[in-house]
Amino acid sequence: MLARSFNQMAQQLRESFAALAKTNEDLEVRVEQRTEELSEKNDRLQQEIRDRQKAESALKRSEAKFRHIFENSQVGIFRARLEDGLILDANQRYLTMMGHNSAAEAIGVTRSVDYYIDPDERLRVLEIILTDGEVHNFEAQFRRYDGLEFWGLFSARLNLEEGCLDGVISDISDRKRAEADLQEAVQVAEVANRAKSQFLSNMSHELRTPLNVILGFTQLLARSGSLAQKQQNYLDTIGRSGEHLLNLINDVLEIAKIETGRTTLNENNFALYDWLDSLQQMFRFKAEAKGLELVFDLAPDVPDTIRTDEGKLRQVLMNLLGNAIKFTERGSITLRVSLIIGTKNRELVTNDKEQKTIHFEIEDTGPGIAPEEIETLFKPFVQAQVGRQSQQGTGLGLAISQEYVQLMGGKISVESYLGKGTIFQFDIRASLVCADELPLQASGRQAIALEAGQPTYRILIAEDKPENRSLLVELLAPVGFEVREASDGTEAISLNQSWSPHLIWMDIRMPVMDGFEATKQIKSALTKAPIIIALTGSAFEEDRIAALSVGCDDFVRKPFRAETIFEKMSEHLGVRYIYQSSQLPSLPAKGVLAMSERLRSAHATRTRLQPDELRKSLAAMPVEWVEQLHQAAMRVNAKQILKLIEQIPDGNASFTNALTEMANNFAFEEIIALTRSQLGKQ
């Protein structure tokens, strides 16, 4: 019994010890887990402390960085309290701009930033801020603490959460002064530009008017046909020198117009093939005289009739071809004309069926241009070395050509190789037109009388210069016009009322009353007004526009050609003339294309004598015959030249054909040069 109890107690003790051991193990596990948890928590706490320390350190560095930026910014930065305008913070730049000696003068002082704005601007800037909540780049004059003023660029934003206004101010006084100086310089330049334009206008009139007298009376003397050979040569020299002087004046005036932005595009319709053929005739003898081959190569798809600025295109090609012939001593000059289709100069290609891009290329075999000279080649008054050595020209041709090409919608470029030659090329935009839209072609014939059965045309010449009036009187009266003269606008008005002229040649610049005012009064009268054609020495397009705007029916520049005067009267009055020579009649518009085809065909098939062969054939003719041929060419008498050609002995077909071609194409200059050279030798 006792033993059983003892065993039971022992069993209970064992179980108790086992439970105690289990409990102890559980406690150890829990202690270990807790210890690990505490360790991890401690690690996390340590990491958080380290992270916080790093963040605080970074924040301090950031604050120091931004404080450094704030303090050293080149713009003034400030913060002001909305409640009373108290300056809460400001950087040194702000203090300096506002004229404070220390931060104590500005920070903590109840003075809103708008206090510093000029009173005239204060209400406006406050209204913008209160309405929009911010203002950007507001330019205003600020008054400093010391009373001085400066221009500032002001930006600010309302910070409603913190109840303050944050803003920046930049001192733009230097910029404002520069703008004021620039504006003053612009005004001075505009005054100078107007003075320059006025000077150029005056110079144009003053230079071209006497040239009109010189060249006009030269034409009158040439028309008389009564001069001896020596006198005719003198007259020819005067005429050529006058034309050369006129070209130089025109170049100088044109470059001045370009510099003052007064060059405009004046488009017209013309037959391109006829036009190019006449251009070739102009330069052919000059090229052949130097033993050069002149080739015009036209692509088959080049249009027959186009619309662009014919005068400017002519000037560009004359400049480039003239230079090529001038500076080339052997070889050839080639003008290529083609239509641009595809990717070449893509920016100039258009899908407009009525507008095309035409490419021109002038290639010579001359001495070439050095690479370092090409960069300045298109600058005014600059010439390449070969041009300086020739001591010819003004260095304006290429500058003018570049401007003209740009006006016609293209670009000009140059490629050159020393000792091999040069290629100038440019593109222009041109519209396609029908042959019916072409103007009547000038006849170039010398009018000597009026056809019978016409009224007696009364022509009034309003011109203040007696010599210019005399020129027109001597030109018109012998043909059969009834002519009267007026020396100013008031006399022109009086004669118009009492005499009723059919047409008035109206000079623009006259004393007492100028041509503009006289034209306005005549055209505004209740009676039927005559045709009025402005006649002026001005080379500027705006003068033509002004003349047409006041009522002039047409516009002619001095110096003029006699043919131009007669053609204008025929155009406006329907006057019909009897001509001295039997040169080719004028072509109506519909006949131009047919002539173009004949010229192209002739251009492709004709054979010409070389210059040496032409001179040799001429030397075989009698001196009297050569003298008569020279006189006929000087008088522009194609009929007489053709009669003289009939006297050439048989067996000289090439010589006969060459002279006939010159006469039919009005190449009188070539004949004159050829005969003069032969007469000089004899």
Side-chain angles (χ1 to χ4, degrees):
M1 183 76 166
L2 182 60
R4 187 181 307 115
S5 299
F6 180 80
N7 288 334
Q8 291 177 346
M9 291 178 63
Q11 181 63 30
Q12 291 175 351
L13 286 172
R14 283 195 295 273
E15 291 176 355
S16 298
F17 277 120
L20 184 61
K22 178 64 173 173
T23 301
N24 185 57
E25 288 177 0
D26 292 341
L27 286 173
E28 288 179 354
V29 170
R30 287 198 294 271
V31 168
E32 184 177 355
Q33 290 177 344
R34 183 62 176 167
T35 302
E36 290 177 357
E37 290 175 358
L38 290 173
S39 177
E40 290 176 359
K41 187 175 182 180
N42 182 63
D43 290 342
R44 288 196 299 272
L45 183 60
Q46 292 296 326
Q47 185 61 42
E48 289 177 0
I49 293 172
R50 288 194 296 271
D51 290 344
R52 183 175 298 174
Q53 288 175 341
K54 288 181 180 179
E56 290 176 352
S57 177
L59 181 59
K60 289 180 180 179
R61 289 196 301 271
S62 179
E63 288 179 349
K65 175 182 177 181
F66 284 105
R67 173 55 63 175
H68 177 76
I69 295 174
F70 177 78
E71 292 295 343
N72 293 279
S73 174
Q74 294 304 303
V75 298
I77 306 174
F78 69 91
R79 168 169 284 191
R81 193 163 62 190
L82 288 177
E83 180 182 354
D84 53 9
L86 184 74
I87 300 297
L88 301 176
D89 198 3
N91 67 352
Q92 183 59 47
R93 181 61 178 164
Y94 174 87
L95 300 175
T96 302
M97 277 195 298
M98 295 305 176
H100 294 289
N101 295 319
S102 65
E105 286 184 354
I107 299 175
V109 177
T110 305
R111 181 176 291 146
S112 176
V113 69
D114 69 322
Y115 165 82
Y116 298 99
I117 301 178
D118 186 89
D120 294 337
E121 300 288 348
R122 184 179 303 168
L123 294 177
R124 190 155 67 96
V125 69
L126 286 177
E127 181 180 356
I128 295 173
I129 294 174
L130 294 175
T131 302
D132 300 334
E134 57 187 2
V135 62
H136 297 284
N137 299 327
F138 186 88
E139 293 184 5
Q141 280 191 300
F142 288 80
R143 184 177 64 253
R144 289 160 45 104
Y145 183 71
D146 55 12
L148 299 178
E149 292 185 346
F150 71 95
W151 275 97
L153 187 66
F154 178 60
S155 297
R157 183 176 62 86
L158 285 176
N159 188 341
L160 296 176
E161 294 180 359
E162 300 183 19
C164 61
L165 179 71
D166 298 325
V168 295
I169 301 175
S170 300
D171 188 342
I172 59 171
S173 299
D174 290 341
R175 196 194 81 189
K176 281 293 186 178
R177 281 191 292 269
E179 288 177 356
D181 292 342
L182 179 60
Q183 183 63 31
E184 183 180 356
V186 168
Q187 292 175 353
V188 171
E190 288 178 350
V191 171
N193 199 34
R194 286 194 295 270
K196 181 178 181 180
S197 297
Q198 184 63 39
F199 171 77
L200 290 174
S201 181
N202 292 335
M203 287 301 295
S204 172
H205 186 269
E206 294 302 321
L207 291 173
R208 294 168 70 94
T209 296
L211 265 178
N212 180 63
V213 176
I214 295 171
L215 295 177
F217 278 103
T218 300
Q219 292 178 65
L220 283 177
L221 287 171
R223 288 166 64 88
S224 68
S226 60
L227 299 178
Q229 174 63 41
K230 191 173 184 180
Q231 294 171 323
Q232 187 66 53
N233 289 339
Y234 290 160
L235 187 65
D236 181 53
T237 301
I238 293 172
R240 292 176 186 276
S241 298
E243 292 284 355
H244 180 65
L245 178 59
L246 177 62
N247 291 333
L248 293 178
I249 292 171
N250 287 340
D251 280 350
V252 173
L253 291 174
E254 190 58 41
I255 203 67
K257 286 164 62 178
I258 290 171
E259 290 177 349
T260 55
R262 300 173 68 178
T263 304
T264 57
L265 195 65
N266 302 309
E267 295 184 327
N268 62 292
N269 304 337
F270 61 98
L272 182 59
Y273 276 91
D274 285 353
W275 186 83
L276 288 171
D277 192 82
S278 67
L279 195 67
Q280 186 180 30
Q281 296 302 322
M282 183 184 303
F283 285 102
R284 190 187 69 180
F285 187 76
K286 293 180 180 179
E288 291 177 346
K290 295 183 68 174
L292 302 173
E293 182 182 9
L294 180 63
V295 179
F296 275 37
D297 182 9
L298 279 66
D301 58 353
V302 172
D304 284 301
T305 53
I306 63 172
R307 179 177 179 81
T308 186
D309 193 320
E310 177 187 2
K312 289 182 174 57
L313 180 58
R314 176 183 292 274
Q315 189 64 48
V316 172
L317 289 176
M318 287 181 63
N319 286 340
L320 297 179
L321 288 170
N323 285 344
I325 294 174
K326 184 192 305 181
F327 301 126
T328 301
E329 297 301 327
R330 59 181 179 273
S332 63
I333 290 90
T334 303
L335 169 64
R336 301 183 184 92
V337 186
S338 59
L339 197 64
I340 291 183
I341 301 175
T343 58
K344 184 178 181 181
N345 289 350
R346 184 183 297 272
E347 68 275 11
L348 288 177
V349 178
T350 173
N351 293 324
D352 186 352
K353 294 182 180 180
E354 301 302 321
Q355 191 176 65
K356 299 295 181 182
T357 300
I358 303 177
H359 179 73
F360 295 85
E361 186 175 289
I362 299 90
E363 181 178 5
D364 66 57
T365 56
I369 304 169
E372 61 273 13
E373 293 184 313
I374 290 180
E375 294 182 2
T376 60
L377 200 59
F378 293 98
K379 292 183 178 180
F381 302 105
V382 174
Q383 289 181 300
Q385 182 179 1
V386 64
R388 295 191 297 270
Q389 290 175 346
S390 71
Q391 297 183 355
Q392 299 181 59
T394 59
L396 295 175
L398 291 179
I400 294 172
S401 297
Q402 183 182 54
E403 178 70 17
Y404 283 176
V405 169
Q406 290 174 353
L407 278 174
M408 290 184 284
K411 297 179 181 178
I412 188 170
S413 61
V414 58
E415 297 178 13
S416 188
Y417 304 92
L418 285 175
K420 296 183 178 180
T422 303
I423 300 176
F424 282 90
Q425 51 187 331
F426 64 91
D427 305 319
I428 65 165
R429 284 198 178 104
S431 300
L432 301 184
V433 295
C434 298
D436 292 340
E437 300 178 57
L438 296 178
L440 294 176
Q441 303 300 300
S443 66
R445 296 175 292 176
Q446 180 175 324
I448 58 175
L450 299 178
E451 282 188 6
Q454 298 184 87
T456 302
Y457 290 106
R458 296 181 297 277
I459 308 299
L460 175 60
I461 301 169
E463 165 71 63
D464 63 313
K465 298 289 192 302
E467 56 271 24
N468 281 325
R469 294 199 304 272
S470 175
L471 172 61
L472 282 171
V473 170
E474 293 296 329
L475 187 64
L476 300 179
V479 176
F481 292 103
E482 186 176 344
V483 184
R484 290 194 182 181
E485 305 174 43
S487 60
D488 58 55
T490 56
E491 287 187 21
I493 294 173
S494 177
L495 276 170
N496 177 67
Q497 293 171 346
S498 62
W499 190 52
S500 300
H502 294 89
L503 183 145
I504 301 177
W505 287 101
M506 182 73 74
D507 186 32
I508 296 302
R509 294 194 179 192
M510 294 184 291
V512 184
M513 180 186 292
D514 63 25
F516 289 133
E517 183 60 31
T519 298
K520 285 194 290 186
Q521 292 192 25
I522 292 173
K523 288 292 187 178
S524 63
L526 297 178
T527 57
K528 183 180 178 181
I531 297 296
I532 299 180
I533 302 179
L535 194 60
T536 178
S538 173
F540 297 108
E541 177 63 17
E542 53 263 39
D543 289 327
R544 185 186 72 85
I545 296 173
L548 297 179
S549 67
V550 299
C552 290
D553 299 281
D554 210 331
F555 183 92
V556 172
R557 288 188 173 91
K558 303 172 186 175
F560 52 76
R561 293 189 175 277
E563 292 79 6
T564 302
I565 300 298
F566 290 115
E567 286 164 7
K568 290 295 182 182
M569 290 192 293
S570 176
E571 176 184 346
H572 292 282
L573 297 178
V575 181
R576 301 186 307 278
Y577 304 105
I578 297 173
Y579 296 96
Q580 181 180 28
S581 65
S582 59
Q583 297 173 16
L584 292 175
S586 61
L587 293 172
K590 293 184 179 179
V592 173
L593 280 182
M595 175 59 75
S596 177
E597 293 297 331
R598 291 198 298 272
L599 288 173
R600 272 189 283 179
S601 176
H603 178 72
T605 59
R606 64 191 170 203
T607 58
R608 300 187 180 116
L609 289 178
Q610 294 299 315
D612 290 341
E613 296 173 328
L614 198 58
R615 296 187 187 96
K616 184 177 180 181
S617 297
L618 189 64
M621 298 299 294
V623 177
E624 296 79 7
W625 185 90
V626 176
E627 175 71 27
Q628 292 176 23
L629 180 64
H630 182 80
Q631 289 293 333
M634 293 293 293
R635 291 193 296 271
V636 196
N637 192 334
K639 183 177 180 179
Q640 181 63 28
I641 293 174
L642 293 173
K643 287 183 178 180
L644 289 169
I645 291 174
E646 293 175 358
Q647 301 175 19
I648 298 176
D650 296 337
N652 293 302
S654 297
F655 181 47
T656 300
N657 292 338
L659 284 181
T660 302
E661 183 183 352
M662 290 182 186
N664 288 336
N665 288 285
F666 318 124
F668 302 111
E669 181 180 348
E670 299 179 15
I671 298 174
I672 291 169
L674 191 66
T675 53
R676 180 186 293 130
S677 175
Q678 184 61 34
L679 291 171
K681 292 179 181 179
Q682 294 175 345

